[in-house]
């Protein structure tokens, strides 16, 4: 029973994890694919929009919320330094 409870707690934390928000508007992404390249779980894919520009999309099933994608983003680094 104790083991089942630990698994439930672990499962609940996985469900409640906060996914990284890579961009809120298209101007917040330069399409460099740094986030895609650094993701240790392959949870980010680049998806083209109607104009053919690729934007990152996070797969919530694969993402472990390590936030490496957020740390490597050049736009987020520049905005953080301002």
């Amino acid at each position: 029973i104790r083991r089942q409870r630990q698994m439930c707690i672990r499962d609940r934390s996985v469900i409640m994890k906060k996914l990284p928000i890579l961009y809120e508007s298209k101007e917040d992404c330069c399409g460099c694919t740094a986030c895609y390249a650094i993701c240790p779980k392959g949870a980010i894919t680049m998806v083209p929009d109607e104009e053919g520009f690729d934007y990152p999309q996070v797969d919530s099933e694969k993402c472990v919320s390590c936030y490496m994608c957020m740390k490597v983003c050049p736009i987020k680094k520049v905005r953080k330094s301002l």
Side-chain angles (χ1 to χ4, degrees), residues 7-25:
M7 289 174 67
C8 289
I9 291 169
R10 244 184 269 137
D11 290 345
R12 212 174 311 153
S13 67
V14 169
I15 291 169
M16 296 175 69
K17 70 182 178 180
K18 191 171 183 178
L19 291 176
I21 298 172
L22 299 177
Y23 63 94
E24 291 183 24
S25 67

Side-chain angles (χ1 to χ4, degrees), residues 13-80:
S13 67
V14 169
I15 291 169
M16 296 175 69
K17 70 182 178 180
K18 191 171 183 178
L19 291 176
I21 298 172
L22 299 177
Y23 63 94
E24 291 183 24
S25 67
K26 290 184 177 185
E27 292 79 29
D28 295 337
C29 179
C30 65
C32 69
T33 72
C35 56
Y36 167 81
I38 203 165
C39 182
K41 298 295 181 179
I44 299 174
T45 55
M46 299 302 287
V47 180
D49 68 358
E50 61 280 347
E51 297 173 352
F53 190 82
D54 288 337
Y55 289 95
Q57 188 173 53
V58 178
D59 182 339
S60 61
E61 296 294 317
K62 293 180 181 178
C63 180
V64 294
S65 298
C66 67
Y67 296 101
M68 291 299 294
C69 54
M70 302 288 279
K71 294 172 187 169
V72 75
C73 178
I75 291 180
K76 292 195 186 312
K77 283 181 184 178
V78 168
R79 291 193 176 156
K80 205 179 229 185

